[in-house]
Amino acid sequence: MPSRLVLGLAAVIVLIGAVSVFLYRSHAGVHALPLNLTELKSETPHAVPDVAFSDAAGARHTLSAYKGRYVLLNLWATWCAPCVKELPALAKLQGAVLPAKLTVLTVNVGHSSVGDTAKFLKDHGASALPVDLDSDTAFIRAFGAFGLPLSILIDPQGREVARAVGPADWDAPDSIAYFKTLSHTAS
């Protein structure tokens, strides 16, 4: 009789574990990251500051303009060696997702001019990325950046949900699949 009790308890434990895994994966959202994006650490969702940057024409844009879609915000600089590796991968990711649902927003936080930034992107295989600048380092201060590149995943409600310090494999097939799936869940 005790062996039936042990087998019954074991079956209940396995069933609870299976249900827990199913529920976690079906409701995990940004927590179900592909293995190659281990650099992207989940955060307790909190509102991002509404900082502004300039585009190549000098027009000012704020992060609040992107509410309603996911944003992968990447802070980089022309003097940042790891950024050189990451920018082409971000350009490839940007081309693979629906921009209306997920925006890959790369902002140069160095003190480069529009021309220098455009040349840098072209020379490093990332000319598909727009020239966006934060010449007054507002993003560095607002996000407490202590190293570059810094990537922040912002949800459609304008909340930071994950961040990565250092380069990540944004263009790996499972990363692109993850962001495509994520973009389909945006409101």
Side-chain angles (χ1 to χ4, degrees):
M1 200 56 120
S3 64
R4 284 187 185 181
L5 181 61
V6 170
L7 286 175
L9 285 173
V12 168
I13 290 170
V14 168
L15 180 62
I16 290 171
V19 169
S20 298
V21 167
F22 171 77
L23 290 175
Y24 174 78
R25 289 197 181 271
S26 64
H27 300 312
V30 296
H31 301 290
L33 295 168
L35 290 177
N36 63 313
L37 284 184
T38 56
E39 295 88 350
L40 196 61
K41 305 291 186 212
S42 295
E43 299 277 324
T44 302
H46 58 279
V48 297
D50 196 24
V51 290
F53 62 93
S54 300
D55 64 19
R60 300 288 286 170
H61 304 276
T62 60
L63 287 179
S64 63
Y66 294 91
K67 279 196 176 175
R69 68 183 100 165
Y70 280 94
V71 175
L72 180 60
L73 170 65
N74 178 266
L75 306 180
W76 67 279
T78 57
W79 46 260
C80 167
C83 299
V84 173
K85 174 186 173 198
E86 187 173 58
L87 287 168
L90 286 162
K92 186 174 177 183
L93 174 62
Q94 175 187 273
V97 297
L98 299 169
K101 299 289 186 172
L102 183 133
T103 298
V104 177
L105 179 62
T106 55
V107 178
N108 180 352
V109 296
H111 295 289
S112 303
S113 68
V114 169
D116 290 342
T117 301
K119 182 177 179 342
F120 183 88
L121 291 171
K122 182 180 178 192
D123 290 349
H124 292 93
S127 59
L129 295 172
V131 175
D132 292 323
L133 304 169
D134 172 29
S135 54
D136 61 0
T137 64
F139 280 81
I140 295 286
R141 292 187 310 275
F143 288 100
F146 58 87
L148 294 177
L150 172 65
S151 299
I152 309 285
L153 183 59
I154 302 168
D155 72 8
Q157 291 76 41
R159 301 175 303 178
E160 177 178 342
V161 293
R163 73 169 46 205
V165 178
D169 294 326
W170 303 114
D171 63 343
D174 54 345
S175 296
I176 289 174
Y178 168 75
F179 283 104
K180 282 183 176 180
T181 300
L182 191 66
S183 69
H184 289 296
T185 65
S187 55

